[in-house]
Amino acid sequence: DAKTTQPPSMDCAEGRAANLPCNHSTISGNEYVYWYRQIHSQGPQYIIHGLKNNETNEMASLIITEDRKSSTLILPHATLRDTAVYYCIVRVGGDMRFGAGTRLTVKP
Amino acid sequence: SQTIHQWPATLVQPVGSPLSLECTVEGTSNPNLYWYRQAAGRGLQLLFYSVGIGQISSEVPQNLSASRPQDRQFILSSKKLLLSDSGFYLCAWSVGTGPSPLHFGNGTRLTVT
């Protein structure tokens, strides 16, 4: 599976959009992009995934660039409860390999 | 809907004692099952995965073993715990061989003293 690169930490003001970037320049054509988050002392929570097209669900939006070498997870109106470590993973299937992720801190 | 259960939530065990952590999935058949470990302040490490009853693949040689006695039951065991076995143990499930995501349980925090 391709490797991903994420900034180690980001801050966001409460009520504003949080935009979390991820680089996956070696992604192959059949690899999907997944986003998870982990709130302290809990299991990772699945957020969203996509292949080529932008995706949106009740939690977030996923924007994938046309060349698929990077993506952005958007939390449209961040709340204090969105403070967590966010993981970007690329995968075809099978198990998932987690990196260090981005620690997002939402501030009041 | 599908749910995953892990127990216990926390566990404190002495060095040299045995371990058994259980994970069960409800609401799906023939899931893929996974055990991960997360050491304090570290990322998630895949320990074992299973695509069916009695089929276990080990990712990291260690003091632990896994078994899948039933379709939706996954057990993580050790005969003698080491201090280095302390960590946050997570079970996860997925379906099929395609892009369906993994879904994680709430984990077991194990402290070996």
Side-chain angles (χ1 to χ4, degrees):
Chain A
D1 292 338
K3 185 177 178 179
T4 62
T5 303
Q6 299 178 253
S9 64
M10 293 181 63
D11 291 342
C12 177
E14 187 179 18
R16 304 297 294 269
N19 297 281
L20 293 99
C22 180
N23 287 321
H24 31 79
S25 58
T26 61
I27 192 170
S28 62
N30 58 349
E31 286 185 307
Y32 284 70
V33 179
Y34 299 78
W35 283 85
Y36 283 76
R37 72 180 182 185
Q38 187 175 24
I39 297 169
H40 183 63
S41 295
Q42 297 182 21
Q45 178 188 22
Y46 164 74
I47 301 173
I48 198 167
H49 75 283
L51 181 63
K52 295 181 181 179
N53 300 320
N54 299 336
E55 303 287 344
T56 296
N57 62 21
E58 66 277 6
M59 291 183 66
S61 295
L62 172 61
I63 308 298
I64 303 173
T65 58
E66 191 169 346
D67 64 7
R68 302 207 326 120
K69 293 184 177 182
S70 66
S71 60
T72 301
L73 179 74
I74 300 173
L75 308 178
H77 305 286
T79 71
L80 299 179
R81 288 177 295 180
D82 291 322
T83 292
V85 177
Y86 287 77
Y87 298 98
C88 169
I89 301 158
V90 293
R91 156 191 185 257
V92 174
D95 65 273
M96 284 198 169
R97 308 286 169 148
F98 287 74
T102 296
R103 181 172 298 277
L104 174 69
T105 303
V106 180
K107 297 185 174 181
Chain B
S1 63
Q2 301 91 351
T3 56
I4 180 169
H5 303 279
Q6 274 190 257
W7 64 92
T10 59
L11 190 60
V12 180
Q13 292 283 103
V15 168
S17 64
L19 172 74
S20 181
L21 301 181
E22 190 163 343
C23 169
T24 60
V25 179
E26 297 177 356
T28 187
S29 296
N30 196 30
N32 304 312
L33 296 173
Y34 309 84
W35 279 111
Y36 284 82
R37 176 172 62 196
Q38 188 172 33
R42 304 289 296 276
L44 279 78
Q45 178 187 35
L46 177 66
L47 301 176
F48 300 96
Y49 68 94
S50 172
V51 298
I53 295 174
Q55 300 178 61
I56 310 293
S57 296
S58 174
E59 285 292 303
V60 182
Q62 60 217 322
N63 186 41
L64 302 169
S65 62
S67 62
R68 184 170 177 174
Q70 300 181 42
D71 182 43
R72 290 170 289 176
Q73 184 184 30
F74 206 21
I75 297 172
L76 183 70
S77 304
S78 174
K79 292 182 179 179
K80 289 185 178 181
L81 284 169
L82 306 172
L83 286 174
S84 58
D85 292 324
S86 293
F88 191 41
Y89 288 83
L90 291 152
C91 181
W93 67 271
S94 69
V95 292
T97 57
S100 71
L102 271 64
H103 299 277
F104 287 82
N106 286 327
T108 294
R109 188 161 301 282
L110 171 66
T111 303
V112 182
T113 60

